């Protein structure tokens, strides 16, 4: 499996966990955008955004395009 595929797989796993948590507990804006230390979503947005950035960068590099 390529690095890009590994990153996409990780993103999909993160989405599945988020959806399961949301369905079980609900998620409000504060919890999603400004989670407190130790909360389930702490670091989620930042990590997901970083993975997405890496995948985007790899895709552009593969196609020889510029973002």
């Amino acid at each position: 499996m390529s690095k890009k595929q590994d990153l996409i797989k990780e993103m999909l796993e993160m989405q599945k966990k988020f959806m399961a948590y949301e369905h079980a507990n609900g998620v409000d804006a504060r919890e999603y955008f400004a989670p407190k230390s130790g909360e389930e979503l702490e670091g989620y947005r930042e990590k997901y955004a970083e993975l997405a950035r890496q995948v985007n960068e790899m895709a552009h590099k593969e196609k020889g395009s510029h973002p």
Side-chain angles (χ1 to χ4, degrees):
M1 197 177 303
S2 74
K3 174 70 174 170
K4 186 173 82 172
Q5 289 172 323
D6 288 340
L7 294 173
I8 292 169
K9 183 178 177 181
E10 186 175 353
M11 291 171 71
L12 290 172
E13 287 300 316
M14 288 178 70
Q15 288 176 354
K16 287 178 189 177
K17 288 179 183 178
F18 176 85
M19 288 187 300
Y21 178 81
E22 181 183 30
H23 288 271
N25 305 294
V27 175
D28 63 21
R30 195 251 351 125
E31 185 179 15
Y32 182 75
F33 290 104
K36 294 178 183 172
S37 180
E39 285 187 333
E40 185 73 24
L41 297 178
E42 180 183 16
Y44 175 84
R45 284 185 328 110
E46 295 82 1
K47 181 174 182 178
Y48 192 87
E50 176 57 24
L51 294 173
R53 184 197 63 74
Q54 289 178 38
V55 169
N56 184 40
E57 193 174 275
M58 289 175 183
H60 279 289
K61 190 173 184 177
E62 287 173 5
K63 295 297 179 184
S65 63
H66 301 284

